[in-house]
Structures are given as structure tokens and as C-alpha cells.
Amino acid sequence: MDLIKTSQSDCYCYNQKSQVKWKYIWSTVQVKITSSGLLSIVYITERYNCQYPETILSIIKCVIHNFWTPKESNDITITINPYGETVCFSVKPARKIFIYTVSVNRNIVDFKLFLVFVAGIFLFFYAKTLSQSPVFFYSSGTMLGILMTLVFVLLLVKKFIPKYSTFWALMVGCWFASVYVVWQLMEDLKWLWCENRIYILGYVLVVGCVSFTICYKHGPLVEERSRTLLAWTLQLLSLLLVYAGVAIPQVACAVMLLVLSSKVLHFPLRALAYVRWKMKKWFTSEKLVVKFLTEDEYREQADAATTRALEDLRQACCSPGFPSWLAVSRLRAPKTFADFVLGGSHLSPEEIRLHEEQYGLAGAFLEEQLFNLRTPDSLPAH
């Protein structure tokens, strides 16, 4: 039933669905209990049963939950994972006679879950970049000090702990305890903010300032090993966010495997892309780009090529293995050749004068006049 209105203190259970539907990947079920009088909720499932705790973690869960149990209210909302464990609770009234209403509503897309999922995906692929950012170091250190004070304090006193095994055992315990405390606080955040707003603001301000001061004193990470360790920690945290951001555990595990395999398949994909680029380069004929030279560019390249060739000839003639007497015996002007080898010009003044008369400004003008006597206007019409 979606709506129940009664005056009896009954027990209510939400049976989890066995059939998985893709449209409920980020869905949640909200049970809202309203009444004109004050009432409270009593959970009767094994998750909150503290009579026979089996492990130390179960004891910590029960103590924290009992400590943070919200006070009586006339409007209580319970958020249930549709594919999680079975949740059972009973309504406890403040007085004997009362009427309350229980309504059930399913959110097809819970934006909180979706944001947690997206944050996990983003954090996994940008973990290496964030581990090298000083802004992320200071901000994450401050948030770590506020949300997980036990972990932050343990990192500060790390050098006073003699054995690494003891440190890592304490670290695991502090992480579990801090995560559970944060989870419980998120469930009762509305009640905590309404009842203890001043204390929460004071705690955030004091602990945040102390955490930022300590992080600023130590400075950002410089060693490559520390940055790699931070990147791995962020990727592990991102996997936890991905798991917590999906309502269906099977889908969450599949997404985590895909994310991990993307890192492993990164190198084969790069190799395949390189091979594809090479094969495309081999089997694709490149189109030749033809560029015509202007007259000035042609003259510049001709002058540069001529000067370079003459210098190479001069160096070859000065080499010890050059047959100088044989070359001199076959030349018409040995003196001009000798002057060229010693650094002079390869042209005589008479040759320069004849070249200027034929190809200089005057020669070009006469050539233009001779070859343009018959213009298109002077040709007879046909």
C-alpha cells in the first residue's frame, strides 16, 4: 500500500525486490511518517540490533546509532535502498492515542545518488592530476580534518607510532569508524542542523582553521611516491563512491570492473591507435602540394644555389687530392681560375658588363619592346 493511515503501533517492513530493472539504477524509496503528535521510529532489523553484537564493528555501529538517534518529531522521512537489505521498523508514539500517516514514494532518479556516482567516475580518471594540485591538497586536507578527524589526527602522529603494522591497523579502524559516523550524520543531517546549528558551525570553523594551518605548514606533496600513494587512495575512494552511488549492487560491481579495466586497456588501445596510424600512413598516398614561385623567389633561390655551388667548387679545388696541374692545362684562362680559387670572383669585368647589357634593366626593357610590338589590338580581325 502506498498510503496507510492508522492509530495502531504496527510493524512495517520493506521487502526488497528480487527482479532487477535498469530504470531503478539510481532510484530510492522514501517512507514518510507524519502525525499531529510526536512520534519516533524504532528499527527492529539486525542492522540496528545491539543485543548480541558479533564483531567490534557491530558494537561501534550500535553505539554510534544509539548516540545519534534523532529526537521525537511529527514528520520523519526514511530513505531505503530498493535492492538493499530488508528494513523493518515500528512507530513509537509519545502518547497512547494518536493518528499517523505512512506514505511511500519511489524516486526513479535520486539526484544525490547520481551525483555521488558521477563524482566517483570523475575522481577515478582525474586522481593523478588532482594529486599534483596544491589547491586540491589544501582543500582536501581541510575537509579531511573536518569530516574525518580521527584519520587526520592519526596522520599527524604517524611518526610517533613505532610499527607500520600498528599504524595501518589503526588507520583501517579510523577509516571505518569515520566513514560510518559521516554516513550516520548524513542520515540525520536535517535534525542535527535544526537542533545543533551553533555547535556544528563552531566545530567546522575551529577544526577547519586548524586543519588548513597544519596543511599549510607541511606544504603540498613533492615526492613522487607520496603523490602516487595519494592518487591510489583517491582511486580507491572513487570506487567506493561508485558503489555507493548505484542502487543495484550487481550493476555497481559491473561498473567498477569496467572502470578498472579501462586503466588496464589504456596501453593496448594506445598501441592499436599507433598501429592504425602507421597503416593509414602506408596505404594512403599523400597529395603533393604544388606551389609556384614568384620571380623574386626564383631569383633568390637561384642566387643562393649558385653561391653555395661555387663555394663547394672552391673547397674541392683547394683540397689536397685535387689534380691542379691537369685542370690548369685544360683551361683557357688559368689566371682567372687561380683568382677564383683564392677567393676572387669567377667572372671577369668584361663578362659582367656584357651580362648587364643583355639582362639588366636596359636589356629587359628592349626585350619587352621587341616582343610586344604586335599587341592584340593591332592584330587583324577575323
Side-chain angles (χ1 to χ4, degrees):
M1 298 175 61
D2 295 334
L3 183 63
I4 301 173
K5 189 173 183 180
T6 182
S7 60
Q8 298 178 0
S9 180
D10 294 331
C11 175
Y12 302 95
C13 291
Y14 181 83
N15 294 323
Q16 310 300 332
K17 294 183 177 298
S18 59
Q19 185 179 3
V20 177
K21 295 183 178 180
W22 292 104
K23 65 179 181 179
Y24 296 145
I25 294 178
W26 294 292
S27 67
T28 56
V29 176
Q30 289 187 348
V31 180
K32 189 174 183 180
I33 305 169
T34 58
S35 174
S36 58
L38 298 177
L39 52 87
S40 61
I41 298 300
V42 178
Y43 292 94
I44 57 178
T45 52
E46 295 181 358
R47 176 185 176 187
Y48 302 99
N49 189 6
C50 299
Q51 295 181 359
Y52 304 102
E54 297 179 356
T55 60
I56 298 177
L57 185 60
S58 301
I59 298 175
I60 295 175
K61 288 181 179 180
C62 294
V63 171
I64 294 175
H65 180 265
N66 292 332
F67 180 75
W68 290 109
T69 300
K71 295 181 180 180
E72 297 176 345
S73 176
N74 57 359
D75 188 358
I76 299 175
T77 302
I78 303 173
T79 302
I80 301 174
N81 185 356
Y83 294 96
E85 60 182 5
T86 301
V87 178
C88 295
F89 62 91
S90 62
V91 181
K92 183 179 180 182
R95 60 177 186 267
K96 294 184 178 180
I97 301 175
F98 74 102
I99 296 176
Y100 64 92
T101 302
V102 180
S103 59
V104 181
N105 183 29
R106 178 188 291 274
N107 293 329
I108 301 299
V109 178
D110 192 337
F111 289 100
K112 293 181 181 179
L113 282 181
F114 183 73
L115 289 178
V116 170
F117 174 78
V118 173
I121 297 294
F122 175 82
L123 188 61
F124 184 86
F125 288 103
Y126 287 91
K128 186 176 181 180
T129 304
L130 293 176
S131 63
Q132 300 175 358
S133 174
V135 177
F136 177 78
F137 174 78
Y138 292 127
S139 58
S140 60
T142 305
M143 293 298 296
L144 182 66
I146 294 174
L147 298 178
M148 300 184 177
T149 309
L150 293 177
V151 177
F152 190 80
V153 172
L154 185 62
L155 291 175
L156 292 179
V157 299
K158 177 182 177 181
K159 60 181 180 181
F160 299 104
I161 300 176
K163 296 182 178 180
Y164 280 99
S165 58
T166 306
F167 169 76
W168 285 111
L170 292 174
M171 176 62 72
V172 172
C174 291
W175 265 102
F176 274 106
S178 301
V179 169
Y180 188 76
V181 169
V182 172
W183 187 262
Q184 291 296 328
L185 291 178
M186 291 298 294
E187 290 184 354
D188 305 328
L189 184 61
K190 183 178 179 181
W191 170 77
L192 288 173
W193 181 254
C194 295
E195 297 292 335
N196 305 290
R197 184 180 306 175
I198 299 176
Y199 299 104
I200 293 176
L201 291 176
Y203 172 80
V204 171
L205 182 61
V206 174
V207 178
C209 291
V210 173
S211 303
F212 179 79
T213 304
I214 295 174
C215 293
Y216 187 78
K217 181 181 178 181
H218 286 273
L221 300 178
V222 179
E223 298 181 358
E224 188 65 27
R225 185 175 62 179
S226 301
R227 291 181 175 179
T228 304
L229 183 61
L230 178 59
W232 290 351
T233 305
L234 293 177
Q235 289 180 347
L236 179 61
L237 179 61
S238 67
L239 294 178
L240 294 177
L241 291 177
V242 170
Y243 185 82
V246 179
I248 306 175
Q250 296 86 345
V251 176
C253 294
V255 173
M256 291 169 64
L257 289 177
L258 288 176
V259 170
L260 289 174
S261 62
S262 66
K263 280 290 184 181
V264 179
L265 295 176
H266 177 68
F267 298 101
L269 290 177
R270 291 185 61 182
L272 290 175
Y274 179 77
V275 172
R276 179 185 176 186
W277 175 73
K278 277 291 186 182
M279 294 179 64
K280 185 177 180 181
K281 187 177 180 180
W282 290 339
F283 293 102
T284 303
S285 59
E286 297 182 358
K287 295 182 179 180
L288 297 178
V289 180
V290 180
K291 180 183 178 182
F292 297 97
L293 298 177
T294 62
E295 186 176 357
D296 294 336
E297 291 176 346
Y298 174 77
R299 289 182 179 178
E300 290 178 359
Q301 293 186 12
D303 293 342
T306 303
T307 304
R308 184 168 58 253
L310 290 174
E311 185 62 29
D312 293 340
L313 178 61
R314 186 180 287 109
Q315 295 293 333
C317 294
C318 293
S319 62
F322 180 72
S324 56
W325 291 107
L326 181 62
V328 169
S329 63
R330 295 181 179 181
L331 293 175
R332 295 181 182 179
K335 186 177 183 304
T336 305
F337 175 73
D339 294 338
F340 164 72
V341 173
L342 295 177
S345 177
H346 66 289
L347 297 174
S348 63
E350 184 66 21
E351 291 173 340
I352 295 174
R353 184 182 63 79
L354 292 175
H355 183 271
E356 289 293 334
E357 289 180 356
Q358 186 174 358
Y359 298 103
L361 295 177
F365 177 75
L366 293 175
E367 183 179 1
E368 183 179 359
Q369 293 296 325
L370 289 174
F371 286 97
N372 290 283
L373 289 176
R374 299 184 66 183
T375 60
D377 298 335
S378 62
L379 294 176
H382 295 280

